[in-house]
Amino acid sequence: MTDKNYIIALDQGTTSSRAIIFDRDANVVCIAQREFTQHYPQSGWVEHDPMEIFATQSAVMVEALAQAGLHHDQVAAIGITNQRETTVVWDKNTGRPIHNAVVWQCRRSTEICQQLKRDGLEPYIKETTGLVTDPYFSGTKLKWILDHVEGSRERARKGELLFGTIDSWLIWKFTGGKVHVTDYTNASRTLLFNIHTREWDAKMLEVLDIPREMLPEVKSSSEVYGHTKSGIAIAGIAGDQQAALFGQMCVEPGQAKNTYGTGCFLLMNTGDKAVHSQHGMLTTIACGPRGEPAYALEGAIFNAGSTIQWLRDELKVVNDAYDTEYFAGKVKDSNGVYLVPAFTGLGAPYWDPYARGGLLGLTRGVKIDHIIRAALESIAYQTRDVLDAMQQDSGERLKSLRVDGGAVANNFLMQFQADILGTHVERPQMRETTAQGAAYLAGLATGFWSSLDELRGKAVIEREFEPQLADADKEKFYEGWKKAVDRTRDWQPHEEQK
């Protein structure tokens, strides 16, 4: 028997599927990545093809093993981390989806949410699930699919259809339909899960008319759920943001991280205390030191990296996201320009699905460099919005912020982030913290690593950014941002009740 000296993390993201192989020292041995198609059937709607997600995810796993010259016998376990909330419904017998996956960014269930609010269910939802009544979460997306695919609700009642977030879908496919599970972190994002009793909530299932039969079994984030057809144990699951929190070793109360990806996600561990937010933060389930459930506060920003993609792909003002740092540095400030990237509404702490993007403060002297700079600054401003709210809720003052995700390579953004927060920003050497979190969870479940203590020495901070902006300037810039956000609120006309 070959020694099993490797862990594979499958990182199923919003725009690409990735496989990252780690060795015993938690070093990255190999990465394979494939992008997949984004479908936009109409304004504000986003879909993925679940079969394409599975195809790209299995392909990158094979590719990573081949590139590293490894055989599946050498892999101790697989950890899965995934874009959260994205909703898949599939046929239990054929293993084929009945509809495209409805993606977390998709706003199609806005009217369902408005109805829940009119029915006075908002306080119950907040108290029970820790979430706000917003189309972001899986429950209303699932209701939409069951409402719109003929006969699906009846078939679900008969046990013919299954629901899952992306982790459940992948595990079902990788185990050949043997295992239908999710973990606490993903379940806590569905709007269907009671985060206090840690069970599916009967009232929410009734309100949204979702058959209990179609839901996965909920497990901890670090245990063996089943095996792939080639015999590798699948032993870790966490939603991407909770995986990053674990990968950053933020397992004690008061520790926080921000992941800069398509969206931005700031999580603060609150330990065994579910902090009820007064400021539009979500209360969600994260992982404690052994992968057991713990609580966290989360602020979700919908558009961060996607704002830079928009500059590149739609406006075509940069060829590569990497170039934005150079252009932003060519001007001394944004010349009074603010870009509010509310392309799909605003997330925390505003929760306004009717907001739309705005470019404000334009004068004749504004150049493209100013707009590029304003786009990067918008990511830091939105992070400040969330962090201010989080600190008020938890009563904790953050001493520093750990950061990860693609955009942290941008030194301009990281420095501006430290400036606008007035807080140290710590960038780890290891950027793949989401995948690392999934690998840690799988490794701990299988005894590959004995405890988190064994891994702590491997977390090296590559660079620390210290605030350099005068307080008066910091507050003046931030006041301008808040004014700009106000101008974009409640822009889109509300749908009338049908």
Side-chain angles (χ1 to χ4, degrees), residues 220-448:
S220 89
S221 298
S222 183
E223 62 177 273
V224 177
Y225 314 101
H227 293 78
T228 64
K229 292 174 191 171
S230 58
I232 308 173
I234 302 173
I237 310 174
D240 52 10
Q241 304 315 321
Q242 286 95 334
L245 191 69
F246 198 74
Q248 289 273 34
M249 306 267 181
C250 297
V251 293
E252 303 297 333
Q255 294 182 315
K257 68 90 203 170
N258 193 8
T259 297
Y260 300 76
T262 307
C264 244
F265 295 92
L266 216 140
L267 270 77
M268 181 191 278
N269 190 312
T270 59
D272 56 11
K273 188 167 91 242
V275 174
H276 192 72
S277 174
Q278 304 303 316
H279 299 93
M281 295 299 107
L282 309 176
T283 308
T284 200
I285 297 181
C287 299
R290 294 175 310 285
E292 75 280 16
Y295 293 100
L297 277 174
E298 172 174 321
I301 298 161
F302 294 150
N303 288 289
S306 55
T307 310
I308 308 308
Q309 287 172 333
W310 175 71
L311 291 180
R312 184 192 69 194
D313 301 342
E314 271 71 37
L315 296 195
K316 302 197 187 309
V317 293
V318 290
N319 290 322
D320 191 305
Y322 179 78
D323 299 336
T324 55
E325 183 176 335
Y326 166 75
F327 291 117
K330 282 174 65 177
V331 286
K332 72 176 195 311
D333 55 33
S334 68
N335 199 2
V337 173
Y338 290 90
L339 171 63
V340 183
F343 302 124
T344 47
L346 287 168
Y350 307 102
W351 296 108
D352 182 352
Y354 299 105
R356 286 298 177 266
L359 188 58
L360 298 108
L362 293 174
T363 52
R364 187 65 183 76
V366 169
K367 297 190 292 208
I368 202 66
D369 299 343
H370 295 120
I371 293 172
I372 292 169
R373 184 175 174 123
L376 287 171
E377 289 180 352
S378 76
I379 300 171
Y381 285 129
Q382 292 178 96
T383 300
R384 160 104 187 243
D385 288 340
V386 169
L387 202 57
D388 280 4
M390 218 170 247
Q391 292 178 115
Q392 286 172 312
D393 280 330
S394 66
E396 304 262 359
R397 174 86 182 103
L398 259 198
K399 291 173 194 65
S400 64
L401 179 67
R402 291 225 162 155
V403 297
D404 57 70
V408 301
N410 191 305
N411 293 314
F412 168 79
L413 173 59
M414 292 299 101
Q415 185 55 56
F416 190 74
Q417 186 69 84
D419 287 344
I420 215 68
L421 290 177
T423 298
H424 288 238
V425 169
E426 296 176 350
R427 181 169 71 191
Q429 203 159 25
M430 169 64 182
R431 304 284 164 83
E432 298 289 347
T433 44
T434 302
Q436 194 170 28
Y440 286 176
L441 290 165
L444 290 168
T446 51
F448 187 82

Side-chain angles (χ1 to χ4, degrees), residues 36 47 54 99 114 120 146 161 179 211 224 279 311 339 353 429 444 483:
F36 55 86
E47 293 179 359
F54 175 60
H99 191 279
Q114 294 305 104
L146 295 175
L161 299 182
V179 180
V224 177
H279 299 93
L311 291 180
L339 171 63
Q429 203 159 25
L444 290 168
K483 191 169 157 189

Side-chain angles (χ1 to χ4, degrees), residues 29-331:
V29 176
C30 190
I31 300 179
Q33 172 169 350
R34 289 196 188 183
E35 293 199 349
F36 55 86
T37 316
Q38 308 291 311
H39 300 274
Y40 306 106
Q42 54 181 335
S43 172
W45 291 29
V46 192
E47 293 179 359
H48 295 154
D49 173 357
M51 295 305 278
E52 190 186 5
I53 285 181
F54 175 60
T56 53
Q57 195 61 76
S58 13
V60 290
M61 182 158 82
V62 172
E63 208 174 295
L65 285 168
Q67 276 178 26
L70 298 174
H71 191 262
H72 59 74
D73 284 352
Q74 294 167 273
V75 178
I78 291 170
I80 291 178
T81 179
N82 55 289
Q83 51 163 328
R84 304 168 307 169
E85 297 99 15
T86 295
T87 299
V88 189
V89 177
W90 67 94
D91 183 311
K92 187 177 180 174
N93 299 314
T94 65
R96 295 197 71 82
I98 64 163
H99 191 279
N100 267 350
V102 179
V103 180
W104 61 272
Q105 295 155 316
C106 186
R107 312 305 286 167
R108 76 184 61 193
S109 56
T110 298
E111 183 46 42
I112 297 172
C113 292
Q114 294 305 104
Q115 188 58 50
L116 292 172
K117 290 177 183 176
R118 287 193 287 268
D119 292 342
L121 285 158
E122 225 172 342
Y124 179 83
I125 288 171
K126 179 86 182 131
E127 176 51 44
T128 309
T129 71
L131 306 175
V132 293
T133 307
D134 188 90
Y136 176 31
F137 307 105
S138 320
T140 59
K141 298 177 192 296
L142 175 52
K143 175 176 166 55
W144 189 95
I145 293 174
L146 295 175
D147 287 349
H148 288 82
V149 177
E150 205 177 329
S152 58
R153 198 171 257 108
E154 199 41 52
R155 293 187 61 206
R157 279 204 184 93
K158 289 181 187 156
E160 292 172 20
L161 299 182
L162 299 178
F163 153 75
T165 39
I166 295 293
D167 54 307
S168 305
W169 165 246
L170 289 177
I171 290 174
W172 173 265
K173 296 302 276 182
F174 276 119
T175 60
K178 287 191 174 72
V179 180
H180 185 217
V181 296
T182 186
D183 81 305
Y184 289 113
T185 69
N186 278 293
S188 75
R189 314 296 298 184
T190 58
L191 214 70
L192 307 173
F193 194 70
N194 183 321
I195 60 171
H196 309 289
T197 63
R198 298 182 193 152
E199 294 168 335
W200 296 116
D201 189 67
K203 180 169 175 177
M204 286 311 298
L205 294 180
E206 186 187 338
V207 163
L208 294 170
D209 197 9
I210 290 164
R212 175 71 186 79
E213 294 78 1
M214 70 189 307
L215 303 182
E217 188 183 348
V218 188
K219 304 262 200 175
S220 89
S221 298
S222 183
E223 62 177 273
V224 177
Y225 314 101
H227 293 78
T228 64
K229 292 174 191 171
S230 58
I232 308 173
I234 302 173
I237 310 174
D240 52 10
Q241 304 315 321
Q242 286 95 334
L245 191 69
F246 198 74
Q248 289 273 34
M249 306 267 181
C250 297
V251 293
E252 303 297 333
Q255 294 182 315
K257 68 90 203 170
N258 193 8
T259 297
Y260 300 76
T262 307
C264 244
F265 295 92
L266 216 140
L267 270 77
M268 181 191 278
N269 190 312
T270 59
D272 56 11
K273 188 167 91 242
V275 174
H276 192 72
S277 174
Q278 304 303 316
H279 299 93
M281 295 299 107
L282 309 176
T283 308
T284 200
I285 297 181
C287 299
R290 294 175 310 285
E292 75 280 16
Y295 293 100
L297 277 174
E298 172 174 321
I301 298 161
F302 294 150
N303 288 289
S306 55
T307 310
I308 308 308
Q309 287 172 333
W310 175 71
L311 291 180
R312 184 192 69 194
D313 301 342
E314 271 71 37
L315 296 195
K316 302 197 187 309
V317 293
V318 290
N319 290 322
D320 191 305
Y322 179 78
D323 299 336
T324 55
E325 183 176 335
Y326 166 75
F327 291 117
K330 282 174 65 177
V331 286

Side-chain angles (χ1 to χ4, degrees), residues 11-33:
D11 179 358
Q12 206 301 301
T14 308
T15 56
S16 69
S17 298
R18 308 165 74 235
I20 296 105
I21 301 178
F22 292 87
D23 64 16
R24 285 199 180 269
D25 289 324
N27 294 321
V28 172
V29 176
C30 190
I31 300 179
Q33 172 169 350

